[in-house]
Amino acid sequence: MAAMAVFHSRTGTLVTLSNGNRTAQRNHPTQEFNNGVVLSADPLRDNQIFEVKIDKKVNSWSGSIEIGVTTCDPNNLSFPISATGFREGTWVMSGSSILKDGHSMIEEYGRDLDQLSEGDRVGVMRSAQGVLHFYVNGMDQGPAATGIPTRVYAVVDMYGKCAQVSIVDANSRDAACAVNAARITNDIANELANEFLAELSNQIANDLAASRDFGAGVDDDRHHSNDRLTFHERCGTLVKLSNSRRTAERRRPMDEFNNGVVMTNRPLRDEEVFEIRLDRLVDKWSGSIEVGITTHNPNNLEFPATMTNMRSGSTAGTIMMSGCGILTNGKGTRREYGQYNLDELTEGDIIGLVRKSCGALHYFINGVDQGIAATSTPRPAWGVVDLYGMAVKVTMLDRADPTYPNNPPAPERRANSIFRQYPDMYDEEPLEEEDGEKLLFNPHCGAHAAVINNHRTAHRPNALDDFNNGVVLTNRCLRANEVFEVRLERMVDKWAGSIEIGVTLHSPEELDYPSTMTNIRSGTWMMTGNGVMHNGTTIIDEYGQNLDRLKVDVGDRVGVVRKPDGTLHFFVNGVDQGPAASSVPEMVYGVIDLYGQAAQATIVDQSEVLSSPDLESSVFTDVDDVRFHHLHGHNATVLNNGKTAARPNATGEFNDAIVMSSRPMRDNELFEVVIERMVDRWSGSIEAGVNGCTPTWPDHVTSLKQHGVKLGVTLIKPEDLDFPNTMTDIEYDTWMLSGSAIMQDGSTIRNGYPLDLDAIVVGSRIGMMRCSDGSLHFFLNGEDQGVACQDIAPGVYAVVDLYGQCAQVSITSGSGVLPTDNHIVIADIEQSLSSALNSEITHRFSNCCGKNIVIKNNGCTANRVRNFNHGVVFSSEPLKYDELFEIKVEEVSNQWSGSIHIGLTTMAISDSTPLSQIPASAEEITSKVTWIVSGSEVKKSGKTIKENYAPSLERLEVGNRIGIRRCSDGTLHIYLNGEDLGIAASNIPKNVFAVIDLYGSVESVSIISSAIAETPSTPKSPPVILDQVDSQADRDQDHDTMAASVTTFHGNHGKNILLSNNNLTARRVASYNQGIVVSHKPLTRKKLFQVRIDKLNHRWSASLMLGVLGFSCDRFNFPVSAISIKKSSLVIHGDSVFSCGCKVRDRLACNLDSLQVGQYVGLLVDDENCLHLYINGVDQGVAVRDVPTPCFGMIDLYGQCEQVTIVSEEGNMPPLNVGDDREKADIDDVVKEKQGGRMVCDLSVMRNCEYQNLCSRLRTSLGLPDGYFDMQYNMCYCETCHKMRGDDFYVRRGDPPSDYAIPFGWCRFVLRAPCKAHSLNVFEKWHAAYHGTRVEVVRRILDYGDLLLPGDPAGGKSILIPQPQVFTEKAKPDSFGGQQIFFSPTIRYAGSSEFAPKHRFTDIKTKKLYQARVAFQVWVKPGSYKVGPQTIEASDPIDPKFNNSELEWSTKERGSTMLYALLLRVE
């Protein structure tokens, strides 16, 4: 008897042999498509078939099994990556072709091997005459080659789709052949008969259709309607057709992303299914396949780059599904369609469409009807596929084909139980240890990692020196339902980021360890932060609890499980975070990345976890404590030990999120939930109710109903319920409140119920109760809304439908059994609430808050649950005088930059304030006066009034305390860990609310302060009395200040000061410092405090300083100079302003160091608490805002200034002594101040520039909203202002540096910078340029937020590019006419008439007529633009700095420019 055939032990690099070397498997078949070659162990015998059976195929690749013979000896063979790579006498059958030594011999030989399915057999035989035959399922395909050498080995290549084969035993094959012989004969006869009948039937149908069409005058295209559906030979320029035009592939997929349009060879018939399979995707591009129909005939169509560019007239139409929307003639007609996004489909997924006889168009994904996409579609219509972006290759399918997949992949239901990670807790087989191999870490790991503790612990030994290269894998693959969980044991605070966990197909021995696991681009799924990444690309942005917040001191754990159905779940501290990925293959290794802060982790033994006392026993044993049931809707998840229910993908899914109580409700038991999170995307909100039997649910919902949150009861047990899309679909034994309608069994029985669930907001408490009399009541914030319906059977379950906007709820502590008397119930509730309010002394947050905020702990804790903004919270009541509102930082995330903002606002806050009035950040509250401390800055209504006020709040850590107080003197004080940081602002009115913005890194805070208690014995004073007291205090202060007719210097002063002339004159008698003097009375508002410079000593540099002091100097020990005062002071020194010793502003209009003897300098505080600088009686404008009250005038006789005298506002001055009493030695040793490049202003010129005012009036006349502009950085570049500042004409900026000209002669109005400008470091790295445009386009550009390309919907052709009539054919650039944006480094070119035409403008003030031009200053990303010559045919140099050949820059890249300022020029 012949020996049984086996495979040789030497194989391709990815092959694993088993079953006594009779089965071969290609490892990682979904990630690798080659290196799967195996050879027979012995040479073939003549006339003996070597046959293998295909055991397993995958749909990830094209191509399949290849088989043949080779003269190469496997014992000394260097295996190629595929069988077609063999040389030196090798014959291989690949597809339907025969190749010799890699070169094609026969193009069409036999049955196509690529079309074989699992279970099919393929074999090879050398006859005694040296003829090579191939066999498919036992059938000889005929002679393939002759002259085959006598000693050849069989070769099998598990290529592409083929993943596993097994050798077929000769005896089994002979028996099968004998059994099948008769069947084959019958099959052939039947096949011939069927073909004849089918041909006859088709001929009859064609004749009937032809005669019918001829009589009706139908287009000739109809005569071909019975042709087999294939792709048309005319197609996009990059498309390659194969497989008898049933397969289409886009060439150069890594270089090109479009020009991949293909169409069917004929119009589609009604009810005919046009279906394709995705064969290949690439990860380089965004977007993917688009599928649809078109009335354009491919025979005369000029194929577009992408089908969505097709603009059809009234007689033709194109309907495409793109992403998750429907586009008609290139315009969106349905934003959300179906349950799938085409951009998220994977290889092997099937997309189909059908045009119904009624004209409706339906799409199918993996065989599932997605509903009506369009109605009344035109005809005739051809099927069309756009191989766009990621989509590279598709194959047309035929449902009549035997190889058609009868069970296409379908979405798996979510694993509902949070205990499924523990196999012995539900009805599944317990996890068995195979071969006793325990799950441990593999010693092969990242360069900076090490495995210790008997391979149970992984750590980064030098965690303080490096933050990456800490990847560690498990020692073996994870089994289905096996938990891979680690406990964090050591962390360092030096770095950002933390542990990452996941699974990978790469084995630890073969992996080329990366610096971080998210760099791996194949076969890897990782949870990082609170997102999930697949092959280095984020697939879920907000998935679960943020891993960056895990802590060592509480023993936080993180784990991962692959379910038997291929879904991947992550766990944090034993809580399932929900499905993270699907279709994850078997044979995956667990992997952790000890990144950033994570320095050491140990594998948790699951037997220890199951017996751990840390697990809350109440989860398993407390049957009285009502929770959410672990069975729930597909899109819901239950957290917080059953107390919280959420819809994790709330912005992507709006339904399938029903949750129920864990047990039936008792009579008079209140089941209450609090709304913790809502999203703005959907209409509708939560639904709630009760029910009672097992209904039949519809599989899909075709449109979003206009219902809100649904709440109710049902008699159906969770175990018996196949959860529907929404609870109102139940047809019996269910009572629901949806909006304000009461519904029973899906039908409305009552409208206008007092509680409208569509109107609830975050923080609202809603509940339900079945009373002992059988009535159902609903509650809002503890208040009974009355009887909703009667005759409700006992034993109902509470039901909450997280529908539409409602994304998360939690069961409140108010749930429980209440007394049977309903009146007593209400009375007790009211009494309880009243008692709580009366006894509460702790401050509370208002329920009015940002959309990302969840208020917990009875209003004492605020959590930001996602993103970095929309975290504004307010105090529930206005702060009283001298009342401290203090919070403690509970959670900090290093993922975000920035930190908490805190302040006061005059905005009226209540729990019912609409969410739409709450901006993304506190700094954006400008509708009402608001003071905010951000970092170290103090801002008033969005404008900075103080810089370097205090230590930066961006350094806050967990446990830090920060408070705010409005003192009785009207000042705002900030407290940090109990320390008063001083006056942040003054003139704070009464009735202000505390405002806290949980921005950036700070994600959770709790209130630790208490309100000032009010008792009936101490009634509040009427507000009018307070107003009278404040007003009287102000009048008293003004009266006291005005009582003295002349202000003098205080007797306490710097040690080098000598006062004379009744304390009106101050002289410095020594050195150059220690010369501070202060007014003896506070300054009076709107009254000028002014001094005359009597004497200068040019021996020194610098000169006089002046400012205000926010406290009395009676006992103050003066420092050497005014800018050294660190307590409540504002000082003007040179051209800069200092607050408490820190510079807060520079580039004032005038420099005090240039003042001369006899000139006057003064200060004035206006009614808005702004400090004005006066030179020679002329107001130079506001130097600084928010001056402390009261304040004292302060002069520092510093440097050159040695003597000053106070001058009254009326001009009555003591005589000026200009005598020079310096000694000769002093004169000989004169040291003058070194003159810099900066020019000093002419003091006779007012600071307020009339040209700037004129340009401001022009901007106002254009009707541009102030919200677009950041007024504090406006700059005038007229000739006068330019000279005053001494600006250079050209500036270098960017990386690498590039020159640009300042906009001389223009006025600049700076725009508010987008958030990404700071993250991209635009102001330091990008280049500056100018873009001229027309006046009528300015608003559209501002609305769009960027310069417009030609054809943009926001502006059409409104973007100003060089006018076409200006160009000659000779001067016209090659790139002109494309979609480009043009700009220039000089305004002389960009602002010329060709780019910025003149606009007639009438000044509303002077009624004069002017000519105006507009332009934009923009930031341009280096390397994104091309430099070209000027195109306005100028013969002379346009700008002396730049050559005419480099004046015009252009770019096609989106996002490569960013608006900086609007420029205006008036002539």
Side-chain angles (χ1 to χ4, degrees), residues 660-679:
M660 298 175 62
S661 59
S662 57
R663 59 168 174 79
M665 296 169 56
R666 303 185 180 96
D667 288 349
N668 304 307
E669 180 180 16
L670 176 65
F671 181 86
E672 186 181 55
V673 297
V674 60
I675 309 298
E676 294 185 332
R677 186 163 72 96
M678 301 183 75
V679 295

Coordinates of all heavy atoms in Angstrom, one line a residue, residues 660-679:
M660 N -34.0 48.8 31.3 CA -35.1 48.5 32.2 C -34.6 48.3 33.6 O -33.4 48.1 33.9 CB -35.7 47.2 31.7 CG -36.3 47.3 30.3 SD -37.0 45.7 29.7 CE -38.3 45.4 30.9
S661 N -35.5 48.3 34.6 CA -35.1 48.1 35.9 C -34.8 46.7 36.1 O -35.2 45.8 35.4 CB -36.3 48.5 36.9 OG -37.4 47.8 36.6
S662 N -33.9 46.4 37.1 CA -33.4 45.0 37.4 C -34.5 44.1 38.0 O -34.3 42.9 38.0 CB -32.2 45.1 38.3 OG -32.6 45.8 39.5
R663 N -35.6 44.7 38.5 CA -36.7 43.9 39.1 C -38.0 44.7 38.9 O -37.9 45.8 38.6 CB -36.4 43.6 40.6 CG -36.3 44.9 41.4 CD -36.3 44.6 42.9 NE -36.0 45.8 43.6 CZ -36.9 46.8 43.9 NH1 -38.1 46.7 43.4 NH2 -36.6 47.8 44.6
P664 N -39.1 44.0 39.1 CA -40.4 44.7 39.0 C -40.5 45.8 40.1 O -39.9 45.6 41.2 CB -41.4 43.6 39.2 CG -40.7 42.3 38.9 CD -39.3 42.5 39.3
M665 N -41.3 46.8 39.8 CA -41.5 47.9 40.7 C -42.6 47.4 41.7 O -43.6 46.8 41.3 CB -41.9 49.2 40.0 CG -40.8 49.7 39.1 SD -41.5 51.0 38.0 CE -42.2 52.2 39.3
R666 N -42.4 47.8 43.0 CA -43.4 47.6 44.0 C -44.4 48.7 43.9 O -44.2 49.8 43.4 CB -42.8 47.5 45.4 CG -41.7 46.4 45.5 CD -41.1 46.3 46.9 NE -40.1 45.3 47.0 CZ -38.8 45.5 46.9 NH1 -38.4 46.8 46.8 NH2 -37.9 44.6 47.0
D667 N -45.6 48.4 44.5 CA -46.6 49.5 44.6 C -46.0 50.7 45.4 O -45.3 50.5 46.4 CB -47.8 48.9 45.3 CG -48.6 48.0 44.4 OD1 -48.3 47.9 43.2 OD2 -49.5 47.3 44.9
N668 N -46.3 51.9 44.9 CA -46.0 53.1 45.5 C -44.4 53.3 45.6 O -44.0 54.1 46.3 CB -46.6 53.3 46.9 CG -48.1 53.1 46.9 OD1 -48.7 53.8 46.2 ND2 -48.6 52.2 47.7
E669 N -43.7 52.6 44.7 CA -42.3 52.8 44.7 C -41.9 53.8 43.5 O -42.3 53.6 42.4 CB -41.6 51.4 44.4 CG -40.0 51.6 44.3 CD -39.3 50.3 44.0 OE1 -40.0 49.3 43.6 OE2 -38.1 50.2 44.2
L670 N -41.2 54.8 43.9 CA -40.7 55.8 42.9 C -39.4 55.3 42.3 O -38.4 55.1 43.0 CB -40.5 57.2 43.6 CG -40.0 58.3 42.7 CD1 -41.0 58.6 41.6 CD2 -39.6 59.5 43.5
F671 N -39.5 55.2 41.0 CA -38.2 54.9 40.2 C -37.8 56.3 39.5 O -38.6 56.7 38.6 CB -38.5 53.8 39.2 CG -37.3 53.5 38.3 CD1 -36.4 52.6 38.8 CD2 -37.0 54.1 37.1 CE1 -35.2 52.2 38.0 CE2 -35.9 53.8 36.4 CZ -35.0 52.9 36.8
E672 N -36.7 56.8 39.9 CA -36.4 58.2 39.5 C -34.9 58.1 38.9 O -34.0 57.5 39.4 CB -36.4 59.2 40.7 CG -36.2 60.6 40.2 CD -36.3 61.5 41.4 OE1 -35.5 61.3 42.4 OE2 -37.0 62.5 41.4
V673 N -34.8 58.9 37.8 CA -33.5 59.0 37.2 C -33.2 60.5 37.0 O -34.1 61.3 36.9 CB -33.4 58.3 35.8 CG1 -33.6 56.8 36.0 CG2 -34.4 58.9 34.8
V674 N -31.9 60.8 36.9 CA -31.5 62.2 36.7 C -30.8 62.2 35.3 O -30.0 61.3 34.9 CB -30.5 62.7 37.7 CG1 -29.3 61.9 37.9 CG2 -30.1 64.2 37.5
I675 N -31.1 63.2 34.5 CA -30.5 63.4 33.2 C -29.1 63.9 33.3 O -28.9 65.0 33.9 CB -31.3 64.3 32.3 CG1 -32.8 63.9 32.3 CG2 -30.8 64.3 30.9 CD1 -33.1 62.6 31.7
E676 N -28.1 63.2 32.9 CA -26.7 63.6 33.1 C -26.0 64.1 31.8 O -25.1 64.8 31.9 CB -25.9 62.4 33.7 CG -26.3 62.0 35.1 CD -25.5 61.0 35.7 OE1 -24.9 60.2 35.0 OE2 -25.3 61.0 37.0
R677 N -26.5 63.6 30.7 CA -25.9 64.1 29.5 C -26.9 64.1 28.3 O -27.7 63.2 28.2 CB -24.7 63.2 29.1 CG -23.9 63.7 27.9 CD -22.5 63.0 27.8 NE -22.6 61.6 27.5 CZ -22.4 61.2 26.2 NH1 -22.1 62.0 25.2 NH2 -22.4 59.9 25.9
M678 N -26.8 65.1 27.5 CA -27.6 65.2 26.3 C -26.8 65.7 25.1 O -25.7 66.3 25.4 CB -28.8 66.2 26.5 CG -29.7 65.8 27.7 SD -31.1 66.9 27.8 CE -32.2 66.4 26.5
V679 N -27.2 65.4 23.9 CA -26.4 65.8 22.7 C -27.4 66.6 21.9 O -28.6 66.5 22.0 CB -25.9 64.6 21.9 CG1 -24.9 63.8 22.7 CG2 -27.1 63.7 21.5

